[in-house]
Amino acid sequence: MRIKRSLTTGLAAAAGTAAVLALAAPAQAAEVIILVNRDQIPTTAEEFGTHSCDGLTEPTDDHDYWIFQLPAEAEAEGNFVDITATYADATGSERTRTMGVHGGLLGDDTAYVTAPTGWTLLDADALVNDPAEGATFDLARTCPGAPTEEPSATEEPTSPSEEPSSTGEESPTAGESSSPTGPILPVTGLPLGTAFVTAAALAAAGAALLLILRRRESQES
């Protein structure tokens, strides 16, 4: 009987100790996913109304910084556990970035995620501890990077007629003659070809006349 009573007493004591420990240990908070404020998306960093780079260490020009805040109304315990942001890149394709890889915590209830400059934030969700039912978080501000400059159009090569000649003189433009531009002297007398023809004709006539005269002299003698 004594052994039976001892076993009963021991089991009762163990059960009581376990109950005390269970009541003393704090309940573990559940991690829950909440969404970003739906009124703040979609947007680019440049289009968003509030810009500030406060708290960021040497932000780079080729990335936008998206700073999120966990409001008091969310009643979450602690800070963000993680944030996943969904973007549209320059081609319209969807890309995801996470706080754990492309961002970090900035302070109490504040964290950031980076993305290449110009991407559009389409959506974001956050993992937090034990938030209130229906809780959301906010996009508090952005730190836009420098806009990407479009390459300038390539100028058309200059045509050969527009390039200066190797002597430093400009080539004549279309419709202009390449002859000298000095004063043109008037042409006097007969053209040279006509003068030669006339001289040859006179010489032939003289030779024929001389031949006739010699024949007459020979007949008379």
Side-chain angles (χ1 to χ4, degrees), residues 84-171:
T84 300
T86 303
Y87 298 92
D89 64 14
T91 66
S93 300
E94 289 191 5
R95 303 293 187 91
T96 58
R97 313 273 282 189
T98 62
M99 181 192 81
V101 178
H102 304 100
L105 297 174
L106 282 180
D108 295 339
D109 303 324
T110 308
Y112 72 95
V113 178
T114 68
T117 302
W119 284 18
T120 301
L121 178 66
L122 301 178
D123 204 352
D125 59 65
L127 187 64
V128 297
N129 285 315
D130 200 20
E133 185 177 355
T136 61
F137 65 102
D138 297 324
L139 174 60
R141 53 191 169 93
T142 63
C143 174
T148 304
E149 295 183 0
E150 295 293 334
S152 58
T154 304
E155 295 182 359
E156 295 182 0
T158 306
S159 61
S161 61
E162 296 175 352
E163 295 180 354
S165 63
S166 58
T167 59
E169 299 177 356
E170 294 184 357
S171 302

